Amino acid sequence: MQLRHYLQFRDFSAAEYEQIFARATWIKERFKRYEPYLPLHDRTLAMIFEKNSTRTRVSFEAGMLQMGGSVINLTSTDSQISRGEPIEDMARVITRMVDIVMIRTFEQEIIDRFASHSRVPVINGLTNEYHPCQILADIFTFIEQRGPIRGKTVAWIGDSNNVCNTWLQAAEVLDFNVHVSTPPGYEVEPERAGLYGTDHYEEFRDPMDAVRDADLVTTDVWTSMGFEAENEQRKRAFEDWCVDAEMMRVAKNDVLFMHCLPAHRGEEVTAEVIDGAQSVVWDEAENRLHAQKALMEFLLLGKVDA
Ligand code: CP
Ligand code: NVA
């Protein structure tokens, strides 16, 4: 089987996403019926965290265990990373011992270097630039609730960060549109976002214009992990980029609200919206589990028929 990695959203084609979403549905339904599915009983996942995590850690660990496999968790402080072992050497060693690796780190370049020295599939569990597993789960959630995402409009309000960049890549792969509104100075950087063009997104100065007639409104923290030194400056710049009930009212009647979490109520979103009827943030978080089980199955076993 050809070695594949999942380092950015565009690493898979639309047809491959269709397969993974179908498998995620099948795996989720079976799991809900308490029917064991243990195809990875002889496989081991190593997770490397250079940044904090709740959802990514729990969903990957629970997912691998529920599919019969084993998990090893490493962080910067309890491994040789913080003592300067080259990432290439870590990749060579770890990937002789396990079957699949998930990494959460800083620059994308670090995970790219790890992957190019890896013998096994490598999954991006968040970098400064991208968070593909999050958007995999988000789009799976959208499809579950509203059907195909092709041709729909997603409004992104706030920072043009790793999650935003991944939505923009997903729009190119799955053919939908993103309306982006960021404060001045925080606009999309197409090259950093890894985009092929500018056809699938439009930037709006006023967030109210970005959300008008949107099928999905989504946002994220004003300050991402690794950028804490900019926190005070960002709090001032992002003040008007808070998703509130007024914004949700100009979107489509059946609009959904998503947030990758963790959220700061009163900053990027009001409590009324995130805890309100249009919000699907808990389904979205749960779907990290099911979507990533399908992802690991795809990377380790290839195309599995139901
Ligand atoms: N959304 C997400 O990746 O959450 P964690 O940082 O808790 O893993
Ligand atoms: N943009 C956020 C996402 C956290 C899941 C960060 O990188 O901190």
Side-chain angles (χ1 to χ4, degrees):
M1 209 179 109
Q2 192 204 342
L3 174 60
R4 300 281 300 270
H5 302 298
Y6 192 51
L7 306 178
Q8 321 188 17
F9 198 89
R10 71 183 193 189
D11 287 346
F12 295 165
S13 66
E16 288 169 335
Y17 279 110
E18 202 174 313
Q19 158 78 13
I20 292 168
F21 293 138
R23 291 301 299 160
T25 303
W26 186 90
I27 289 170
K28 179 174 179 175
E29 284 171 2
R30 209 179 155 117
F31 177 69
K32 297 277 179 185
R33 293 195 301 266
Y34 293 96
E35 286 175 30
Y37 177 55
L38 309 169
L40 305 183
H41 62 90
D42 50 359
R43 309 297 173 101
T44 303
L45 163 72
M47 301 195 289
I48 304 172
F49 284 100
E50 290 209 78
K51 292 176 177 171
N52 291 10
S53 170
T54 299
R55 278 144 289 270
T56 304
R57 165 89 199 263
V58 175
S59 55
F60 269 105
E61 185 155 348
M64 193 56 168
L65 297 175
Q66 288 161 12
M67 291 202 294
S70 311
V71 184
I72 294 165
N73 187 43
L74 292 172
T75 66
S76 320
T77 44
D78 64 18
S79 66
Q80 299 285 7
I81 302 174
S82 54
R83 298 184 66 252
E85 180 167 16
I87 198 79
E88 292 81 359
D89 292 359
M90 292 206 3
R92 289 182 179 109
V93 173
I94 292 170
T95 69
R96 282 177 180 236
M97 299 178 181
V98 304
D99 303 283
I100 187 164
V101 177
M102 190 286 308
I103 308 181
R104 168 168 287 196
T105 185
F106 292 89
E107 290 78 24
Q108 182 71 15
E109 183 247 330
I110 299 172
I111 199 169
D112 288 343
R113 277 164 49 210
F114 189 102
S116 65
H117 291 83
S118 175
R119 289 184 168 192
V120 304
V122 178
I123 297 171
N124 182 348
L126 181 146
T127 57
N128 290 350
E129 288 83 357
Y130 308 121
H131 196 1
C133 295
Q134 182 66 53
I135 306 312
L136 180 73
D138 291 7
I139 294 176
F140 177 58
T141 308
F142 185 89
I143 295 169
E144 268 189 336
Q145 310 241 359
R146 295 286 182 267
I149 196 161
R150 189 165 190 268
K152 302 286 185 190
T153 299
V154 174
W156 175 270
I157 307 301
D159 192 18
S160 62
N161 62 14
N162 42 10
V163 180
C164 174
N165 288 342
T166 310
W167 271 115
L168 296 172
Q169 282 199 0
E172 288 187 339
V173 178
L174 301 177
D175 194 19
F176 60 91
N177 308 301
V178 186
H179 288 179
V180 185
S181 182
T182 65
Y186 295 91
E187 291 88 357
V188 172
E189 296 173 52
E191 202 174 317
R192 183 173 161 85
L195 302 182
Y196 291 116
T198 53
D199 298 354
H200 286 82
Y201 77 96
E202 196 175 339
E203 294 193 87
F204 295 83
R205 174 74 183 78
D206 184 342
M208 286 298 274
D209 293 331
V211 296
R212 191 155 289 118
D213 295 327
D215 298 281
L216 167 64
V217 174
T218 184
T219 185
D220 188 11
V221 290
W222 291 341
T223 305
S224 287
M225 291 181 280
F227 298 84
E228 289 80 3
E230 300 173 17
N231 199 25
E232 287 313 308
Q233 180 193 331
R234 283 172 170 268
K235 274 189 172 169
R236 286 189 295 276
F238 283 78
E239 213 170 37
D240 296 331
W241 276 262
C242 172
V243 177
D244 58 15
E246 198 190 336
M247 278 190 204
M248 296 300 287
R249 266 194 293 277
V250 300
K252 289 232 174 89
N253 285 339
D254 66 347
V255 67
L256 298 176
F257 173 79
M258 290 191 193
H259 189 309
C260 62
L261 306 174
H264 295 82
R265 289 169 176 78
E267 292 192 5
E268 73 275 6
V269 60
T270 61
E272 187 184 6
V273 170
I274 196 169
D275 299 319
Q278 293 157 318
S279 172
V280 290
V281 296
W282 314 122
D283 294 320
E284 181 189 0
E286 177 191 325
N287 279 336
R288 293 288 303 276
L289 173 72
H290 312 299
Q292 290 162 188
K293 283 162 104 171
L295 171 66
M296 289 192 282
E297 181 197 65
F298 182 75
L299 289 171
L300 287 170
L301 305 180
K303 192 169 179 296
V304 176
D305 295 320

